[in-house]
Amino acid sequence: MTVIKICGLSREADIAAVNEAKPEYCGFIIDFPKSYRNVTAEQVRKLRTGLDASVVPVGVIVDRPVEQAAMLLNEGIVDVIQLHGREDENYIRRLRKLLKCGEEAFTDDGETGHGDTRQTTEIKDCIWKAFKIRSRKDFEDAMTSSADAVILDNGYGTGETFDWSILEDAGVMMQEKKFFLAGGQKSRRK
Ligand SMILES: O=C(O)c1ccccc1N[C@@H]1O[C@H](COP(=O)(O)O)[C@@H](O)[C@H]1O
């Protein structure tokens, strides 16, 4: 299944545009001042109130403390966190432990302690990890990540694609892991 994320929202006009386009996800670049799309968590909290409920908000962070990543999810500022720096497997493990949803022990029949029937996947698919792809090895390493989804990207919002020929014949691997192809996406790209 193909899903779309529109990233870099910072103004109410961006929210209005996303509400019209209705991608599955939209992204906010949080506390990364080098980006002209940079916003604070407080701005996201406010912008989110105007977001259509069908669009899932994603917080994009770069090498921020793990406690901040957990706070953004636990306080419901965003529903998904996209780790776009040098965060490693240890970081992802620590983040999972800090998540409130992680405390909601699932019973054997897959229900939470609150008696609701949410599926495990809905609750846990909230950690994405971005990888800068320069070689086949970069791609293969990305596919072994314990993140719930991986972002295959050229860099930090450069607006440019990486060499997609690296993914040639990778069909089977790409069926085993949720991934996003990022960087320089154009509506008419084939
Ligand atoms: O968009 C940014 O400014 C940005 C800054 C720091 C880290 C990630 C950033 N964006 C993410 O990068 C990819 C590709 O974006 P683009 O197509 O190159 O603009 C995307 O996932 C954004 O979320």
Side-chain angles (χ1 to χ4, degrees):
M1 181 186 159
T2 301
V3 293
I4 292 178
K5 168 169 162 266
I6 297 179
C7 203
L9 281 57
S10 62
R11 306 160 303 178
E12 285 181 11
D14 301 331
I15 298 288
V18 158
N19 286 346
E20 201 179 324
K22 289 200 175 55
E24 283 76 11
Y25 300 95
C26 72
F28 300 92
I29 313 298
I30 302 177
D31 288 349
F32 188 67
K34 279 188 204 160
S35 171
Y36 68 93
R37 302 150 164 168
N38 182 52
V39 284
T40 64
E42 280 318 302
Q43 281 175 284
V44 179
R45 202 195 287 273
K46 286 196 196 108
L47 287 169
R48 182 183 178 160
T49 60
L51 189 63
D52 190 280
S54 66
V55 184
V56 176
V58 178
V60 179
I61 57 173
V62 180
D63 297 329
R64 300 298 301 168
V66 67
E67 292 78 12
Q68 183 183 2
M71 179 280 287
L72 291 166
L73 289 167
N74 286 337
E75 291 196 12
I77 295 173
V78 291
D79 290 355
V80 174
I81 203 82
Q82 176 176 326
L83 306 172
H84 217 103
R86 284 160 296 178
E87 305 86 1
D88 59 11
E89 283 295 310
N90 189 37
Y91 184 107
I92 295 173
R93 226 179 349 261
R94 284 168 57 215
L95 177 54
R96 279 199 204 285
K97 283 195 181 146
L98 290 173
L99 295 185
K100 280 192 188 149
C101 58
E103 293 164 12
E104 292 177 350
F106 279 86
T107 57
D108 285 347
D109 57 3
E111 291 193 357
T112 66
H114 302 302
D116 67 36
T117 52
R118 287 178 294 176
Q119 296 298 305
T120 315
T121 48
E122 277 182 53
I123 288 183
K124 78 171 176 54
D125 281 1
C126 58
I127 304 177
W128 298 355
K129 174 74 189 102
F131 291 85
K132 186 172 171 175
I133 305 300
R134 287 287 174 277
S135 65
R136 182 71 177 205
K137 180 166 186 323
D138 291 340
F139 163 65
E140 288 173 3
D141 288 349
M143 295 318 241
T144 65
S145 169
S146 68
D148 304 312
V150 293
I151 317 288
L152 307 175
D153 193 12
N154 179 53
Y156 296 150
T158 59
E160 286 169 20
T161 56
F162 64 92
D163 177 5
W164 288 355
S165 70
I166 288 170
L167 308 182
E168 258 166 39
D169 304 324
V172 175
M173 283 181 87
M174 295 172 95
Q175 279 167 23
E176 288 167 1
K177 183 104 200 153
K178 274 192 201 169
F179 73 93
F180 286 81
L181 201 50
Q185 299 295 331
K186 304 271 188 307
S187 58
R188 294 203 185 132
R189 193 176 293 287
K190 288 188 181 162

